[in-house]
Amino acid sequence: MKTLKIGVLASGRGSNFQAIIDSIETGYIQARINLLITDNPKAFSIERAAKHGIESLVMLPKKYASRDEYFMAAASELKSRGVGLVVLAGFMRIVGRPLLEAYPNRVMNIHPALLPSFPGLHGQKQANDYGVKISGCTVHFVDEGMDTGPIIIQAAVPAKDDDTEESLSERILKFEHKIFPEAIKLFAEGRIEVRGRKTVIKGAVFDDRPLINPPLGE
Ligand code: GRF
């Protein structure tokens, strides 16, 4: 099987980027990260890339005439390196149509809430303010909407009564670092089929134990 080439788009600290790097370096995922694109010259992700011998490219949106031109340029950088999967790891922009057209059902994003609840910015704060008992995170393919594309994998994470945005975010982040690499592994193994707005994961074993929070009494 040909090794999957991945392109990562990230705007910040890149802890998800790191989790993906680690899963590749330990051999859990058969893939290679060929390029990091960032819109933020101060992103810590750049240092992570350098440390692991990954090429990085700072692409500043203000240098492009329009959003479409920006994402057309990004798509051509990715294509010229043979990238087959684009991963958004804390990329703080809505992806433009040229990139989605170049990579249909091949752009993945992680969102820190159980979609379709709490899309957009600050998913953890939205969930905490709302008072949900279970939140979580979602990996999905990206379409033109805001966090609306077909869902690949989700983790349900209990919320505590005294949670703050920070404590809930921290609990969710640990699971982001598990399910993002998992989704990429499934993709690399050719196990994700998109049917309309659903995905079907080949060979997945269904576990019907529910998560109830707070747990049932005796
Ligand atoms: C994560 O919470 C992710 O879910 C959201 O942005 C944050 C990025 O964090 N899309 P990091 O840069 O991966 O540490």
Side-chain angles (χ1 to χ4, degrees):
M1 203 165 56
K2 249 176 58 188
T3 301
L4 173 69
K5 293 180 181 163
I6 296 175
V8 174
L9 272 60
S11 302
R13 66 184 169 179
S15 71
N16 279 288
F17 178 34
Q18 187 68 52
I20 297 162
I21 293 171
D22 294 345
S23 301
I24 291 173
E25 289 189 351
T26 61
Y28 186 67
I29 304 175
Q30 293 294 316
R32 195 185 127 75
I33 303 176
N34 284 60
L35 181 63
L36 166 75
I37 294 180
T38 182
D39 56 348
N40 172 12
K42 295 196 178 121
F44 187 61
S45 295
I46 298 171
E47 287 174 47
R48 296 186 195 270
K51 193 166 164 214
H52 294 271
I54 298 167
E55 181 191 1
S56 60
L57 216 52
V58 177
M59 293 182 63
L60 299 176
K62 65 177 182 207
K63 297 214 165 156
Y64 297 81
S66 66
R67 209 165 74 94
D68 273 8
E69 283 197 21
Y70 181 77
F71 284 101
M72 211 180 295
S76 98
E77 297 291 356
L78 292 159
K79 285 280 175 190
S80 73
R81 287 161 183 83
V83 164
L85 175 69
V86 180
V87 167
L88 309 184
F91 184 65
M92 304 309 284
R93 285 172 196 278
I94 308 250
V95 171
R97 189 191 287 255
L99 182 56
L100 297 177
E101 282 176 354
Y103 286 94
N105 287 329
R106 276 169 173 65
V107 181
M108 262 186 207
N109 181 44
I110 181 118
H111 182 72
L114 282 181
L115 293 172
S117 294
F118 314 123
L121 288 177
H122 311 297
Q124 309 98 322
K125 180 178 185 330
Q126 294 182 53
N128 190 53
D129 289 352
Y130 195 93
V132 298
K133 296 297 184 194
I134 297 174
S135 189
C137 43
T138 305
V139 181
H140 63 94
F141 285 120
V142 177
D143 64 11
E144 285 190 53
M146 169 74 88
D147 300 324
T148 51
I151 291 172
I152 301 162
I153 183 168
Q154 295 186 297
V157 178
K160 291 188 186 167
D161 296 349
D162 61 354
D163 262 334
T164 59
E165 178 188 356
E166 290 71 30
S167 63
L168 181 59
S169 301
E170 202 183 310
R171 196 172 313 116
I172 291 172
L173 190 64
K174 293 201 181 94
F175 288 88
E176 295 185 34
H177 297 164
K178 288 183 192 296
I179 68 170
F180 213 177
E182 191 63 26
I184 294 167
K185 180 182 170 70
L186 291 169
F187 184 93
E189 293 172 353
R191 292 174 57 194
I192 309 176
E193 191 190 318
V194 181
R195 292 191 197 154
R197 70 150 294 106
K198 291 193 181 184
T199 65
V200 176
I201 310 297
K202 290 172 208 147
V205 180
F206 181 64
D207 178 347
D208 64 359
R209 278 172 303 177
L211 172 62
I212 300 174
N213 182 43
L216 302 178
E218 288 304 306

